[in-house]
Amino acid sequence: MVSMLLNVVGGSSQRRDLVRDINLKEMSKALGCGQLQTGTGLNQEQSLQRPGDTRWGSHYKSLKSLVDMFPTIVQVLEIVEKDKKDWKIRDQSSNLLRHFQSFDFVFYLHLMLTILGITNILSLALQRKDQDIVNAIKCVRATRLQLDELRRKKWENLLDEVYEFCDKNDISKLEMEEEYIDPQKRRKKSGITNKHYYEVDCYNEIIDWLLQKLLSRFNETSSQLLVCSAVFSPRDSFHDFNLENLMSLAKLYPHDFDSGGLRDLRHELGLYISDVRDDERISNLQILAELSQRMVKTEKLDRYPMVYRLLKLVLVLPVVTATVERCFSAMKIVKTHLRNRIGDEYMGNSLICYVEKEQMMKVTNEAVVHRFMTMKDRRFDNDD
């Protein structure tokens, strides 16, 4: 329904200008009544944010803008509803008005806005390329705790916000102790109250589902695996190095480290950390990929083979981060219906150019021209 609203309200430049003009009038009215304050950076021009397909943060921005501009949106829909030129848009506006001015919509709007507000920080943290695994896992645990607290203690707070929004925008409220009426089956008795439906069947069920998803995606084993692997980081001269955590990490790979291998690994790790901290060629590194490359160049992999084996296993873990998911998202943009016969090599090169935009900006036009001028296998027309 929100997507349909964005298509109706933002479907033409005339309606977008209408949104802007009405929003300015509402803002001027609020400033005159003292509901808004003036100042630098305040009361910036607002617009409806269109949500993306893959970024949950964009959905959060869409719902925030919808709440802030709700009176403006209602006025625009009322104007479009009276338009006699396009009966399809007129019917859509009428249905949207009926839906958006219902208690059911207001409840779900505030519920999703509350949930996405809690998970937005975690969503932004997991999208970072330079991921700090330890802080990311702590952010996951903090998000789960906040959601659990929301389920146990914040129902009344959410209901107060919904009632306040209904009073502000002249929307009919539902009494929680009255019998719930199913909009699809109005003549059939539901046997439950509005409080039971909205609190148990909606509020608790949605939060429980989300908690289960977070628990299955970031279970104790995977969290321990990521936290233990983070202590291998060479940042700040191996400041996070922890022997016991690395031994716990190795125990998660019984096929690579048997009892004898674990004993040898413990001895090697003690010598390894003393060696690399005193070696200027390694002590100033920042990421694990550089550490593995430098161990090969300095021939330390022959001196510490068990440590290097564990390091290789750790390097496999980043394939589950947001970088790979970002590549799959880019495929929807690169491989469109007009490019349905694109080859694997060409698609791979196009994805690299799209995903690694920062690196591609460093390539100059002169370098590209020189690259094509020095190519040996070039096609020539017969006229040439």
Side-chain angles (χ1 to χ4, degrees), residues 336-350:
T336 62
H337 68 281
L338 297 177
R339 293 179 173 178
N340 56 359
R341 294 186 180 182
I342 187 173
D344 292 341
E345 183 178 0
Y346 179 51
M347 183 176 70
N349 294 336
S350 301

Side-chain angles (χ1 to χ4, degrees), residues 54-280:
T54 57
R55 300 292 179 89
W56 282 109
S58 63
H59 293 260
Y60 179 56
K61 293 179 180 178
S62 297
L63 296 184
K64 282 203 307 181
S65 62
L66 179 57
V67 169
D68 296 335
M69 301 179 62
F70 189 82
T72 301
I73 294 170
V74 171
Q75 292 186 45
V76 173
L77 290 176
E78 290 175 346
I79 294 174
V80 177
E81 186 184 20
K82 299 177 182 178
D83 187 5
K84 299 180 180 180
K85 296 181 181 180
D86 193 337
W87 64 269
K88 291 183 178 180
I89 299 296
R90 187 172 63 248
D91 290 346
Q92 282 184 341
S93 301
S94 178
N95 293 332
L96 287 171
L97 269 174
R98 191 181 308 111
H99 177 75
F100 286 138
Q101 291 182 309
S102 65
F103 181 86
D104 198 65
F105 167 76
V106 176
F107 175 80
Y108 279 114
L109 172 64
H110 283 79
L111 175 59
M112 294 309 301
L113 191 62
T114 302
I115 290 177
L116 291 176
I118 294 175
T119 59
N120 187 53
I121 296 177
L122 175 62
S123 178
L124 295 176
L126 295 178
Q127 291 172 16
R128 293 181 54 185
K129 293 184 178 181
D130 54 337
Q131 187 57 265
D132 187 343
I133 296 176
V134 177
N135 287 331
I137 295 300
K138 290 181 179 180
C139 189
V140 171
R141 292 173 180 171
T143 302
R144 286 166 51 186
L145 290 175
Q146 286 293 314
L147 289 172
D148 184 64
E149 184 179 0
L150 176 67
R151 187 192 186 282
R152 292 185 293 104
K153 300 180 180 180
K154 300 298 181 64
W155 159 253
E156 295 294 338
N157 294 341
L158 176 68
L159 193 60
D160 291 340
E161 292 180 5
V162 174
Y163 279 166
E164 182 182 354
F165 187 86
C166 290
D167 291 335
K168 182 179 179 181
N169 296 281
D170 298 327
I171 298 175
S172 299
K173 298 183 293 185
L174 294 180
E175 294 297 333
M176 290 293 104
E177 300 304 325
E178 294 181 357
E179 183 179 2
Y180 171 72
I181 299 176
D182 190 346
Q184 305 297 329
K185 304 175 182 178
R186 292 186 174 274
R187 295 184 179 181
K188 185 178 180 180
K189 291 187 177 181
S190 61
I192 60 175
T193 62
N194 288 325
K195 178 178 174 56
H196 183 278
Y197 174 76
Y198 285 105
E199 181 178 5
V200 179
D201 297 343
C202 300
Y203 182 81
N204 291 346
E205 186 174 345
I206 290 174
I207 298 177
D208 288 343
W209 174 82
L210 186 56
L211 285 170
Q212 291 175 3
K213 285 292 184 180
L214 281 174
L215 186 61
S216 62
R217 185 72 180 268
F218 303 97
N219 54 46
E220 292 299 327
T221 302
S222 61
S223 299
Q224 180 186 4
L225 186 66
L226 293 173
V227 171
C228 292
S229 64
V231 301
F232 231 134
S233 174
R235 291 182 179 179
D236 300 327
S237 189
F238 297 87
H239 178 267
D240 297 327
F241 182 86
N242 188 295
L243 178 60
E244 296 302 326
N245 282 353
L246 288 177
M247 292 303 301
S248 299
L249 176 64
K251 291 177 182 178
L252 297 175
Y253 298 97
H255 297 291
D256 295 278
F257 299 96
D258 54 15
S259 58
L262 290 173
R263 185 169 52 252
D264 294 338
L265 176 63
R266 180 178 290 273
H267 295 311
E268 282 191 11
L269 283 172
L271 296 173
Y272 159 81
I273 190 60
S274 299
D275 188 356
V276 293
R277 280 176 174 169
D278 293 334
D279 194 332
E280 295 181 355

Side-chain angles (χ1 to χ4, degrees), residues 12-24:
S12 68
S13 59
Q14 182 180 3
R15 289 195 287 271
R16 289 194 295 270
D17 292 339
L18 186 61
V19 171
R20 187 180 299 108
D21 294 339
I22 295 177
N23 190 47
L24 288 175

Side-chain angles (χ1 to χ4, degrees), residues 3 25 48 52 58 74 130 133 169 214-215 238 309 318 326 331 365 380 384:
S3 299
K25 291 180 181 179
L48 285 174
S58 63
V74 171
D130 54 337
I133 296 176
N169 296 281
L214 281 174
L215 186 61
F238 297 87
R309 180 187 301 178
R326 191 174 289 113
M331 289 179 63
N365 294 335
F380 294 90
D384 294 341

